[in-house]
Amino acid sequence: MTSISSSPRTIEEIFKDYNARRTGIVRALTNDVEEFSNLCDPEKENLCLYGHPNGTWEVNLPAEEVPPELPEPALGINFARDGMNRRDWLSLVAVHGDCWLLSVAYYFGARLNRNERKRLYSLINDLPTVFEVVAERKPIKDKPSSDSGSKSRGSIKRTADVQAKSTPKLADESCDEDEEHGETLCGSCGGNYNADEFWIGCDICERWYHGKCVKITPAKAESIKQYKCPSCSLKRARP
């Protein structure tokens, strides 16, 4: 993995690193999918998909050092391999890959000023996400309106009696959060945030999910003190 001493510092260097790591992950989930799938043995411990700065990819155990040198990819990508439709499984791994790529890019870009961060985001946003490539979806330029009736989004109107809670995180707490969560993607289906849908946030990995994707209703969420998403629930404790 890239060492801190040689980590990219300029916008161009960070974007080049992001693009190379992205290329590796895309290759694993498309051209090299059979090899990738064979490496993701559910009988093994938590496995991660890494993209490297030279455009290669690797399935491996999480970094041993604590804290890790870079943000870690999603743990346990191998556990769901045989329990899901392959396309859905690859799409789920792709979503987690996108989250990791962004976390690495902004880890390197922590010292950038506001305008530099916006420029970096603009460069990244011009590329299709790994999920879009794997799912063969075109980037969504405009968010569908709440009454569009889109079956793919399966909009669920918020119930008025759902109260704001600190845990678990509910994405219908306030209309002011529309802007805050505007770029949020569902950790399960990859759909964009919409205030007219019920969302729930994992208290472990802090990813957000459509309630319908993880089979959690507003009423059920009220009785959950700490919500763990399906991915975190499958993780095994490290020795």
Side-chain angles (χ1 to χ4, degrees):
M1 297 178 67
T2 303
S3 64
I4 297 299
S5 61
S6 61
S7 63
R9 296 182 180 278
T10 67
I11 296 173
E12 290 73 19
E13 289 173 343
I14 295 171
F15 177 67
K16 182 179 179 180
D17 181 269
Y18 169 90
N19 198 18
R21 293 177 189 273
R22 172 186 170 278
T23 297
I25 292 178
V26 167
R27 183 177 292 120
L29 300 179
T30 54
N31 295 344
D32 301 341
V33 68
E34 289 302 327
E35 180 184 356
F36 170 72
S37 179
N38 289 337
L39 290 171
C40 291
D41 185 352
E43 296 302 317
K44 295 181 180 179
E45 293 298 315
N46 283 294
L47 292 176
C48 306
L49 173 59
Y50 292 91
H52 294 305
N54 62 358
T56 62
W57 61 272
E58 176 186 15
V59 171
N60 210 337
L61 295 170
E64 293 183 0
E65 67 268 21
V66 178
E69 192 173 62
L70 293 177
E72 288 187 321
L75 301 177
I77 60 168
N78 49 315
F79 296 148
R81 187 194 70 179
D82 299 338
M84 297 178 66
N85 173 279
R86 172 175 280 199
R87 187 180 181 88
D88 292 339
W89 173 62
L90 292 174
S91 295
L92 180 61
V93 176
V95 170
H96 291 316
D98 282 318
C99 294
W100 178 69
L101 289 169
L102 286 174
S103 66
V104 171
Y106 282 94
Y107 173 83
F108 288 138
R111 293 185 177 87
L112 299 178
N113 62 38
R114 179 179 180 181
N115 289 333
E116 289 172 332
R117 291 195 302 272
K118 289 177 67 176
R119 184 182 167 203
L120 174 60
Y121 178 77
S122 179
L123 290 171
I124 291 174
N125 203 38
D126 282 339
L127 293 174
T129 64
V130 177
F131 171 78
E132 287 169 344
V133 174
V134 172
E136 298 179 350
R137 290 189 178 185
K138 294 181 179 179
I140 300 174
K141 296 299 182 182
D142 299 309
K143 298 177 184 178
S145 61
S146 59
D147 60 350
S148 63
S150 171
K151 293 183 179 179
S152 63
R153 296 299 301 276
S155 295
I156 301 175
K157 293 294 184 181
R158 291 174 294 168
T159 53
D161 59 345
V162 175
Q163 300 297 317
K165 297 175 64 178
S166 58
T167 58
K169 306 178 187 70
L170 306 181
D172 64 343
E173 291 176 344
S174 169
C175 60
D176 292 337
E177 292 194 352
D178 289 1
E179 182 176 351
E180 177 185 349
H181 296 284
E183 299 301 331
T184 300
L185 299 179
C186 174
S188 179
C189 72
N192 288 64
Y193 172 75
N194 186 319
D196 288 316
E197 298 171 306
F198 173 73
W199 283 58
I200 188 167
C202 176
D203 287 297
I204 307 302
C205 67
E206 298 187 350
R207 294 189 178 94
W208 291 86
Y209 297 85
H210 288 111
K212 66 181 187 302
C213 288
V214 291
K215 298 181 180 179
I216 299 293
T217 64
K220 187 175 181 180
E222 285 294 301
S223 63
I224 301 175
K225 293 182 178 180
Q226 183 184 58
Y227 175 66
K228 287 186 180 181
C229 69
S231 178
C232 290
S233 296
L234 288 173
K235 291 178 185 176
R236 300 175 184 174
R238 296 189 189 177

